[in-house]
Amino acid sequence: MYMDKDKDEAKRQKTMTKPLIRALKRESVDTGSRPFWFMRQAGRYMADYRKVRADAGTFLDLVYDSEKAAEVTLQPVRAFQPSAAILFADILIVPHALGQDVSFVKGEGPKLAPVRDRKALAALAMDGFDRIAGPVCETVRKVAARLPEDTALIGFAGAPWTVASYMIEGGGSKTFAQAKTAVFADSEFYGALEEMLVEATVHYLSAQVEAGAGAVQLFDTWASMLDEKSFHTHVIEPARAITEKLKDRHPDIPVIGFPKGAGPLYEDYARETGVDCVGLDSLVPLDWAVEKLSPHAVLQGNLDPVRLLGPEEDMLNVADMILRKTAGIPHIFNLGHGILPETDLGRVRVLADHIRGWRP
Ligand code: CP3
């Protein structure tokens, strides 16, 4: 018992030395440099990633090979020293671990065997979850053991609406007509699917925390596809439930919510979900976010990833504007969405060095 307590205290102390975790807990604002990491910082824009990826077989083979997945998680840490690593995995691990057929077709993105009714849903279950998702937790353990002291490890999962949209559509979609129809009909089917996803996501994120993740991010990439009413019931409410249940098990774990494209509904999201931090897409006006969202949550974001493709000076000017507007409030520098595959690693380094050297 006492040993466990000492161990918890040791773990807490270690965690508190990490600037990203301190920012998420609002414990450091204007001393030292701004914590930063970039969404999709591990990926195809890195030659080192492409090499490991080419040897791995399919994308899922790479995710489930904990040694290779740990290696690609660490590549950006070595390349430009962000304040955090993000676990190398995917939001579609949850449906896969629930028993849905998931594959990644080169050049076409993810393909899933669509789940559109109670019968298809009944074939999914938590039974095999740990066996399938186990290697992902092994990746977390390996990365946590290998990271520099001051670098945090962020675990993640997709939020129920975004994950459900892939499960129902059977892949990406332009209109999300099938998934939205299920939501709008307020069907028994969608409710049951959402309930299963909330439970699986809490289980999965808890396992990542127990394996060594110091914070978690919930990606709701397609939050902007719903209307106001459905946003409240199927974006905010499940994010609130997941955050509450996760914090019941792990009271200290900071949660970042990313309801991409939420617009003015970011305010309700920040106020009502209980997340510690909101990830901002590039369109969110920062002055507004500082005024309306910052009282409720730490801010993260929101440089447009396409700025990394244009003139370096423009990129740095926009980065400076973001740093200035968020000076003096808790803020983690990030992009408004993931790094694009055509991005030059040299450019990412320039941005990283600039943020690290910036002072108010
Ligand atoms: O560095 C990181 O951000 C960590 C790993 C990560 C991946 N996917 C790896 C990945 C994370 C956090 C994700 C999240 C994810 N996956 C989201 C939410 C965030 C976002 O980008 O909006 C979504 C919607 C997915 C689903 C997904 N995975 C799609 C649509 C695709 C195909 C499109 C593409 O970019 O290829 C993937 C595949 C995927 N996930 C890749 C990577 C590095 C590329 C696969 C490859 O290397 O061949």
Side-chain angles (χ1 to χ4, degrees):
M1 256 308 242
Y2 288 106
M3 291 256 300
D4 269 5
K5 234 181 175 172
D6 288 350
K7 241 169 60 199
D8 280 359
E9 179 57 22
K11 199 175 153 194
R12 203 183 67 86
Q13 290 282 338
K14 203 172 159 191
T15 304
M16 295 314 287
T17 64
K18 300 177 192 290
L20 182 109
I21 305 293
R22 282 211 305 274
L24 285 171
K25 293 175 180 280
R26 298 176 171 265
E27 283 171 18
S28 79
V29 180
D30 50 12
T31 51
S33 59
R34 195 73 58 92
F36 72 96
W37 64 282
F38 304 130
M39 288 189 280
R40 283 284 172 99
Q41 64 188 15
R44 281 173 300 201
Y45 77 100
M46 287 184 89
D48 288 346
Y49 170 84
R50 295 195 298 271
K51 221 161 117 199
V52 178
R53 175 77 179 80
D55 291 340
T58 69
F59 174 70
L60 282 179
D61 290 337
L62 173 54
V63 169
Y64 292 129
D65 181 328
S66 67
E67 193 52 43
K68 287 194 171 71
E71 164 59 20
V72 297
T73 303
L74 290 165
Q75 284 171 349
V77 175
R78 292 196 292 264
F80 53 88
Q81 294 87 49
S83 316
I86 177 151
L87 167 67
F88 188 82
D90 198 81
I91 64 163
L92 299 179
I93 297 308
V94 164
H96 192 234
L98 285 168
Q100 192 171 12
D101 277 337
V102 177
S103 59
F104 288 81
V105 185
K106 215 177 149 84
E108 287 181 52
K111 289 273 173 284
L112 301 85
V115 172
R116 292 181 183 162
D117 52 34
R118 289 297 294 242
K119 188 160 164 273
L121 189 59
L124 306 182
M126 289 299 290
D127 298 356
F129 197 97
D130 290 341
R131 187 177 48 77
I132 297 176
V136 176
C137 295
E138 195 50 39
T139 306
V140 173
R141 264 186 287 278
K142 286 180 175 169
V143 174
R146 296 175 196 173
L147 276 177
E149 276 280 286
D150 62 352
T151 312
L153 173 57
I154 301 173
F156 76 93
W161 156 243
T162 289
V163 174
S165 76
Y166 286 98
M167 294 176 78
I168 297 168
E169 298 285 344
S173 171
K174 279 208 168 75
T175 62
F176 294 82
Q178 300 270 358
K180 287 171 70 169
T181 298
V183 168
F184 291 167
D186 204 14
S187 61
E188 211 190 314
F189 160 69
Y190 190 82
L193 173 56
E194 185 178 79
E195 193 180 318
M196 180 184 272
L197 286 173
V198 168
E199 185 198 341
T201 304
V202 171
H203 176 85
Y204 182 53
L205 291 176
S206 292
Q208 292 179 30
V209 173
E210 283 149 28
V216 297
Q217 177 156 320
L218 204 49
F219 286 88
D220 220 343
T221 305
W222 304 116
S224 65
M225 298 304 292
L226 294 175
D227 60 17
E228 181 183 358
K229 178 173 175 285
S230 331
F231 185 93
H232 277 100
T233 36
H234 299 296
V235 171
I236 292 181
E237 178 48 30
R240 191 203 60 72
I242 289 167
T243 303
E244 180 182 87
K245 288 171 201 274
L246 185 64
K247 284 175 182 267
D248 278 348
R249 298 194 197 176
H250 301 287
D252 275 348
I253 193 76
V255 177
I256 307 166
F258 179 49
K260 183 171 179 287
L265 294 173
Y266 260 107
E267 198 177 344
D268 291 346
Y269 186 95
R271 194 196 298 274
E272 294 167 17
T273 55
V275 298
D276 300 273
C277 173
V278 285
L280 308 176
D281 64 72
S282 302
L283 188 60
V284 177
L286 278 179
D287 293 330
W288 176 83
V290 167
E291 186 191 329
K292 302 287 190 191
L293 309 182
S294 187
H296 308 293
V298 174
L299 305 183
Q300 173 177 280
N302 70 345
L303 183 69
D304 189 323
V306 174
R307 292 284 178 191
L308 278 75
L309 308 179
E312 184 174 302
E313 201 190 327
D314 291 351
M315 170 184 83
L316 295 178
N317 282 338
V318 182
D320 278 344
M321 186 201 69
I322 292 169
L323 289 160
R324 257 186 278 110
K325 283 182 188 272
T326 53
I329 60 147
H331 174 250
I332 294 159
F333 195 101
N334 204 322
L335 308 177
H337 200 192
I339 295 184
L340 294 164
E342 59 267 43
T343 307
D344 177 44
L345 174 59
R347 188 56 76 76
V348 179
R349 280 208 183 94
V350 168
L351 178 60
D353 290 343
H354 187 78
I355 300 163
R356 205 178 299 101
W358 193 88
R359 292 294 181 279

